[in-house]
């Protein structure tokens, strides 16, 4: 088991904590302004409500699929997939023109969110052990809460400055893509001797 300080000195802690934090930043921002975001693209309120349902259902699918994949893949590969899906969704969001595209966006966002939830609740113990798990998870959770608070502010300021949400989505998509790459290559301490990720 890692100590709290030992965990914070590993690249894996920061890659996974930042990845989950950025997801929460995006989810909170889009969650608050989703109706406005879709209205900017010319969609009515009923499409917004439909997208919420699709996203929620696909998040459940992502939970089940992510749970299964976490027993088959290493956690860093699963996080890389989640971040790649999130980056794709963010890049596509400013260019939505049809209801089918909105549905596709909701599907991808839901899957990414389902994967991230599974990862967040299973990664820390697998990577760092349980002796100091509370402090390790508490630090990561603090980061996600702060990111959730920043998300709506970031979108609001971007819209006020540019008249659109597009710039912030493209910028965050770039950061998410870098996190996907970092997640793919980072070494997860608890999985270095077991790439399949079956270590308890």
């Amino acid at each position: 088991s890692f100590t709290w300080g030992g965990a914070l000195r590993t690249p894996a802690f920061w890659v996974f904590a930042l990845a989950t934090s950025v997801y929460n930043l995006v989810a909170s921002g889009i969650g608050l302004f989703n109706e406005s975001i879709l209205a900017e693209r010319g969609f009515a309120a009923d499409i917004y409500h439909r997208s919420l349902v699709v996203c929620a259902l696909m998040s459940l699918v992502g939970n089940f699929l992510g749970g299964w994949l976490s027993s088959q893949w290493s956690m860093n590969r699963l996080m890389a997939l989640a971040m790649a899906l999130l980056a794709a969704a963010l890049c596509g969001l400013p260019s939505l023109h049809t209801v089918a595209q909105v549905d596709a966006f909701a599907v991808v966002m839901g899957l990414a969110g389902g994967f991230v939830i599974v990862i967040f609740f299973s990664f820390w113990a697998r990577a760092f052990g349980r002796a100091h798990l509370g402090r390790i998870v508490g630090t990561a959770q603090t980061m996600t809460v702060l990111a959730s608070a920043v998300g709506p502010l970031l979108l609001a300021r971007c819209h006020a400055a540019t008249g659109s949400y597009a710039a912030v989505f493209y910028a965050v998509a770039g950061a998410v893509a870098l996190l996907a790459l970092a997640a793919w290559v980072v070494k997860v301490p608890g999985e270095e001797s077991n790439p399949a990720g079956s270590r308890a």
Side-chain angles (χ1 to χ4, degrees), residues 72-121:
Q72 307 297 317
W73 294 2
S74 59
M75 294 296 284
N76 58 326
R77 300 299 193 260
L78 185 57
M79 180 60 92
L81 174 60
M83 291 296 101
L85 290 172
L86 181 59
L90 290 171
C91 283
L93 184 52
S95 303
L96 300 179
H97 295 293
T98 68
V99 174
Q101 290 174 344
V102 175
D103 288 342
F105 163 78
V107 167
V108 175
M109 275 294 296
L111 286 174
F115 290 162
V116 170
I117 290 169
V118 169
I119 293 166
F120 188 83
F121 286 105

Side-chain angles (χ1 to χ4, degrees), residues 1-2 122 125-129 189-194 196-200:
S1 292
F2 282 69
S122 59
R126 180 180 293 183
F128 303 117
E191 295 184 344
E192 289 177 356
S193 61
N194 188 354
S198 61
R199 180 179 179 271

Side-chain angles (χ1 to χ4, degrees), residues 10-20 79 124 179-184 186:
T10 65
F13 174 88
W14 293 103
V15 169
F16 277 74
L18 287 171
T20 53
M79 180 60 92
W124 312 105
L179 285 168
L181 179 61
W184 184 265
V186 74

Side-chain angles (χ1 to χ4, degrees), residues 11-153:
F13 174 88
W14 293 103
V15 169
F16 277 74
L18 287 171
T20 53
S21 295
V22 170
Y23 171 78
N24 276 268
L25 181 150
V26 169
S28 66
I30 291 178
L32 186 61
F33 292 108
N34 199 12
E35 186 171 7
S36 174
I37 293 165
L38 292 180
E40 181 179 286
R41 304 304 311 151
F43 295 102
D46 62 316
I47 303 302
Y48 157 68
H49 295 127
R50 171 178 168 150
S51 72
L52 290 180
V53 174
V54 173
C55 191
L57 290 175
M58 293 312 300
S59 181
L60 292 176
V61 173
N63 288 159
F64 287 108
L65 181 58
W68 178 76
L69 287 174
S70 69
S71 68
Q72 307 297 317
W73 294 2
S74 59
M75 294 296 284
N76 58 326
R77 300 299 193 260
L78 185 57
M79 180 60 92
L81 174 60
M83 291 296 101
L85 290 172
L86 181 59
L90 290 171
C91 283
L93 184 52
S95 303
L96 300 179
H97 295 293
T98 68
V99 174
Q101 290 174 344
V102 175
D103 288 342
F105 163 78
V107 167
V108 175
M109 275 294 296
L111 286 174
F115 290 162
V116 170
I117 290 169
V118 169
I119 293 166
F120 188 83
F121 286 105
S122 59
F123 170 75
W124 312 105
R126 180 180 293 183
F128 303 117
R130 298 184 180 276
H132 301 273
L133 185 60
R135 294 181 69 189
I136 294 169
V137 174
T139 302
Q141 185 70 65
T142 298
M143 293 173 61
T144 65
V145 170
L146 291 173
S148 295
V150 168
L153 295 174

